[in-house]
Amino acid sequence: MKLILLQNVKSLGKAGDVVNVSDGYARNMLLPKGIAVEANDKNKNDLKLKKQHEEKLAADRLQDAKDLAKKLEGIKITVKMKAGENGKAFGSVSSKEIAEAAKAQHALELDKKKIQLDEPIRTFGMHEVPIRLHPEVTGTLYVLVQEA
C-alpha cells in the first residue's frame, strides 16, 4: 500500500515521502496513529501544494535575511565600557549587550544567539561582528567600544 508520511518514521522515511508498506502495517500502525495518509490523488496534490508553500516561505525568509544584511552594512553601534588601570578595558562586551545596543540605537531586533562572537570583546576600538541571519546569509555589524 502506498502512503504519504506525515511525520518522520525511523527506517521508513521523512515527512512528505511517498512510501510503499505492507497493508497490515499501514492499517494497524501508520493510519490509526495519524502518521501517514493514503497516497491518493487528492493527498498527493495537497502534499505538492504544501511543498510549494514551504518553498515560497523559505525563499521569503532568505530574501528578508539578505535585505537585513544590506541594512547592517552601514550601521555602527557604540558601546561604552569602563576603563581600568592604564586605560585598559575593565570587563567585556557580550553578544547580549550588542543586541541591546542595536535595539536602543537603531531599533534593530537582533537575536543574541545569532551574533557570532568567538569570545567577548575586551578591547577598545572598532570591531567587526559577524551576525548569522540565515544559514546562507551572514551580515557584518560594526561595534565601536568606547571608554565610559
Side-chain angles (χ1 to χ4, degrees):
M1 178 180 277
K2 285 195 174 206
L3 299 176
I4 299 172
L5 295 176
L6 300 176
Q7 301 173 10
N8 294 345
V9 178
K10 192 173 184 179
S11 74
L12 191 59
K14 295 183 179 182
D17 289 349
V18 177
V19 294
N20 197 13
V21 297
S22 67
D23 292 346
Y25 186 52
R27 276 195 312 268
N28 297 324
M29 175 72 175
L30 299 176
L31 293 175
K33 290 188 177 183
I35 297 173
V37 292
E38 193 174 340
N40 57 26
D41 291 337
K42 179 194 175 300
N43 290 337
K44 285 181 183 177
N45 190 39
D46 289 347
L47 175 66
K48 180 181 167 187
L49 291 174
K50 184 178 176 184
K51 283 185 178 181
Q52 287 176 348
H53 181 67
E54 288 172 357
E55 288 173 3
K56 183 181 181 307
L57 288 177
D60 289 346
R61 277 190 229 109
L62 177 63
Q63 187 59 44
D64 290 344
K66 286 180 180 178
D67 292 343
L68 184 56
K70 280 186 180 179
K71 186 177 177 182
L72 287 176
E73 282 179 13
I75 293 180
K76 291 181 178 67
I77 292 177
T78 305
V79 178
K80 298 203 182 270
M81 191 165 72
K82 290 183 181 179
E85 296 178 20
N86 303 328
K88 288 188 177 182
F90 183 74
S92 62
V93 178
S94 66
S95 58
K96 180 180 178 184
E97 292 168 325
I98 293 171
E100 289 172 355
K103 186 174 182 178
Q105 295 173 20
H106 296 283
L108 285 174
E109 290 288 334
L110 296 176
D111 186 4
K112 68 178 182 176
K113 295 174 187 160
K114 295 185 180 201
I115 297 174
Q116 296 183 316
L117 286 176
D118 294 333
E119 56 187 48
I121 299 171
R122 292 181 174 26
T123 58
F124 295 116
M126 184 68 75
H127 299 276
E128 284 187 18
V129 177
I131 300 175
R132 186 83 169 185
L133 301 170
H134 187 271
E136 300 173 18
V137 180
T138 302
T140 303
L141 185 66
Y142 293 96
V143 178
L144 176 64
V145 180
Q146 292 180 335
E147 191 174 328

